[in-house]
Amino acid sequence: MSKRLSIEDVNLLKEMNMNAVRMSHYPPDSHFLDVCDSLGLFVLDELAGWQTNYDTKTGSELAHKMIFHDVNHPSIVIWDNGNEGGWNYDVDHWFEELDPQKRPLIHPWQVFKNTDTQHYKDWDYGNATHQHGHNVTFPTEFLHGLYDGGHGAGLEDFWRQMWQNPLSAGGFLWVYADESVVRTDKNRELDADKNHAPDGIVGPYHEKEGSFFTIKEIWSPIFFEKRFITSHFDGTFNIENRYHYTNINQCHFKWNLVKLPLPGETKQTSVASGKTHSPNIQPNHKGELKIDLPTDFTSADVLYVTATDPHGKEIYTWSWPISLPEKVSGIIVDKTIGEITNFSETDETVTLTAIGTEIEISKKTCQLQNIIANNKSVSLSNGPVFIETIAESDGVKTYREGNNVVVEAITKNKLKQLKWTLYPSGWLRLDVQYFPPYNTTLMGITFSYPEEKIKGMTWMGDGPYRVYKNRLKGTTFNVWDKKYNNTITGESTYGLEYPEFKGFHKNLYWATIDTEEQPFTVVCATENIYLHMLTPDKPQKGETNYAFAEYPKGNISFLHGISPIGTKFRSAEKTGPMGQKNAYTTHGTEYPKDLTLYFNFGEN
């Protein structure tokens, strides 16, 4: 360790908009406390001891040494005597007697001196205790990370509850960084002792995982209330100052209206940009941020707003889509060019052809079977398969619709519509409507495609990191390019690639899949759809506990609802409402879930 690394650590903590660090049961280096003093980070300094306490003689000697060594650090705001049963009551008096400031003393994991620091309680836990009690609620560990679970996943529910409780004093996440050692006896492999130590928000080389950015948004000291940008938007945002000491007028804001590239394009275009007046909003108060947008702001696809603190450090960059999927799909998809579409039938399949594209659909299931475009095979098949709902077809009917050809399922059970339309341009449209069960882990449709043939994807949506049902924040609306990787978050292997390629991706507009065969493009005309791009492998070196999400059986899926992920010690449903299953209900048959996709398998 070194002062350089301490500076890097504290800057990364502050970059996540954290304002406090707990030393836990490891004595800090002096240079770390020096950096906390210098850069500004609250510190809980802790007398070591975990689940077993020191005897009074040893504990008293260590308490004297620690207090005399650290007492003059202004960053220390609370003393901890032990952790999780590692405290000795006979040592408590030294902290008050030896500290001229009489800073508070806690026992992490215990209800002690009107402070409830209990660890890893379920969301909304307690009857007259914890968030429902009369003590100051201050869990010194409340989400235990493991691989990609915990930390950002579940934090939004916990933090909303904490923020609304006047007796809440915040809480701490376990732990900052994955702990690994370099095994020189195993070709320098990183060893995290199976699942005992990959618990961090950053990797062993401080690689930023997805939760890093989720935490950065959720713990931003400037909070934006939910807002949708429509043509009637007047540029006003309702914001809240969640700083302890800083007025919002000490911060700075800039904005940018951007036109995003379409498939095959690479260049973004700034429609307009500027700075805006920082409003006078005292800590713990609300107010308005006003942006003077041009009258033609709806010509842009997205609005970005960046806030920086009084020291010039970025607090966060928020993004709001302006163009909706229906508008973008209408620009991309040309339905008219080309020749008249044709079709032929056998006993088992219908084959549609147009402008070098040949589509084979099962007459029994109405699912894709084979695709040939530009005399090349495309291996997308066996879909749509409906997930967790009995939505089936009872044969198909094929007919012309102008210059288009339609293959439509004869529906039964929970299937209301399954219809393929091939346009003369070669674009293939899919329309589905279905009724999900009341509770589902996953909700949508899925297809098969060989993983070994996928090289990467370029896509428009909220990224670049993947999401879970209980970790939706920390992404940015943009066009992203991701190369295939098989990164298992936190798995101790040298050279991890972030962001991870596999998993759920939020708010799909379009995606071009780069393959060993030839690229193909999927355009989504429906709002709030998740793209499931391959299923992450499970960690190989230890049990995952609850820190693994559920995925569809297919490799490429389009979903109305996705699964959450749990922590090391808790299932996802115990981390709050966002960790529970997707709920769907209707009082009739008039409100099915609907989805419209367009596929282009050629180079046109």
Side-chain angles (χ1 to χ4, degrees), residues 240-284:
E240 181 179 359
N241 183 354
R242 293 184 171 182
Y243 273 112
H244 288 296
Y245 313 113
T246 304
N247 192 307
I248 294 297
N249 63 16
Q250 298 175 251
C251 300
H252 305 278
F253 296 88
K254 63 181 180 180
W255 56 271
N256 193 12
L257 286 167
V258 175
K259 186 74 174 174
L260 297 176
L262 299 176
E265 301 175 348
T266 57
K267 186 178 180 181
Q268 293 187 359
T269 303
S270 178
V271 175
S273 62
K275 298 179 180 180
T276 192
H277 173 73
S278 300
N280 178 15
I281 305 175
Q282 295 287 344
N284 298 312

Side-chain angles (χ1 to χ4, degrees), residues 246-411:
T246 304
N247 192 307
I248 294 297
N249 63 16
Q250 298 175 251
C251 300
H252 305 278
F253 296 88
K254 63 181 180 180
W255 56 271
N256 193 12
L257 286 167
V258 175
K259 186 74 174 174
L260 297 176
L262 299 176
E265 301 175 348
T266 57
K267 186 178 180 181
Q268 293 187 359
T269 303
S270 178
V271 175
S273 62
K275 298 179 180 180
T276 192
H277 173 73
S278 300
N280 178 15
I281 305 175
Q282 295 287 344
N284 298 312
H285 285 73
K286 296 181 180 181
E288 292 183 345
L289 178 72
K290 184 67 187 311
I291 298 176
D292 293 323
L293 296 175
T295 56
D296 64 342
F297 74 90
T298 56
S299 64
D301 292 317
V302 58
L303 169 65
Y304 299 109
V305 176
T306 300
T308 54
D309 68 16
H311 307 287
K313 300 286 188 181
E314 181 191 271
I315 297 170
Y316 196 74
T317 295
W318 295 265
S319 58
W320 290 269
I322 298 173
S323 298
L324 296 180
E326 186 176 13
K327 174 184 175 181
V328 175
S329 66
I331 297 171
I332 297 172
V333 179
D334 192 325
K335 304 175 183 179
T336 59
I337 64 168
E339 303 172 356
I340 296 176
T341 309
N342 295 308
F343 70 93
S344 60
E345 298 185 64
T346 68
D347 291 341
E348 296 182 351
T349 63
V350 179
T351 301
L352 314 181
T353 57
I355 199 169
T357 300
E358 184 176 294
I359 308 293
E360 187 178 287
I361 298 171
S362 168
K363 294 178 73 172
K364 179 180 180 181
T365 63
C366 205
Q367 295 176 1
L368 278 181
Q369 297 297 298
N370 292 295
I371 302 165
I372 296 176
N374 301 323
N375 298 316
K376 297 178 182 179
S377 178
V378 179
S379 300
L380 187 72
S381 63
N382 299 324
V385 172
F386 291 84
I387 304 165
E388 294 191 42
T389 189
I390 304 174
E392 300 173 325
S393 66
D394 193 13
V396 302
K397 52 186 177 181
T398 307
Y399 55 91
R400 291 192 179 277
E401 195 174 68
N403 290 334
N404 313 322
V405 173
V406 177
V407 179
E408 186 172 358
I410 300 170
T411 60

Side-chain angles (χ1 to χ4, degrees), residues 442 466-467 503-506 531-532 550-552 559 562-563:
L442 300 160
R466 64 191 183 193
V467 298
F504 301 122
H505 298 78
K506 179 184 173 186
L531 169 65
H532 160 231
E550 293 187 40
Y551 293 90
L559 306 168
I562 60 174
S563 60

Side-chain angles (χ1 to χ4, degrees), residues 455-507:
K455 297 164 60 178
M457 69 174 179
T458 303
W459 66 290
M460 182 177 180
D462 291 336
Y465 280 84
R466 64 191 183 193
V467 298
Y468 305 94
K469 184 175 181 289
N470 56 348
R471 194 187 82 185
L472 297 177
K473 289 193 172 178
T475 56
T476 302
F477 186 74
N478 207 330
V479 172
W480 304 100
D481 184 63
K482 298 179 73 171
K483 302 301 181 186
Y484 174 90
N485 64 60
N486 197 26
T487 294
I488 301 172
T489 313
E491 185 77 273
S492 294
T493 307
Y494 185 77
L496 296 176
E497 296 180 57
Y498 290 101
E500 304 91 337
F501 183 76
K502 300 179 181 181
F504 301 122
H505 298 78
K506 179 184 173 186
N507 198 17

Side-chain angles (χ1 to χ4, degrees), residues 573-591:
E573 64 182 6
K574 293 182 179 179
T575 65
M578 294 176 69
Q580 297 170 4
K581 290 193 172 188
N582 299 288
Y584 173 82
T585 184
T586 179
H587 295 292
T589 59
E590 65 274 24
Y591 299 117

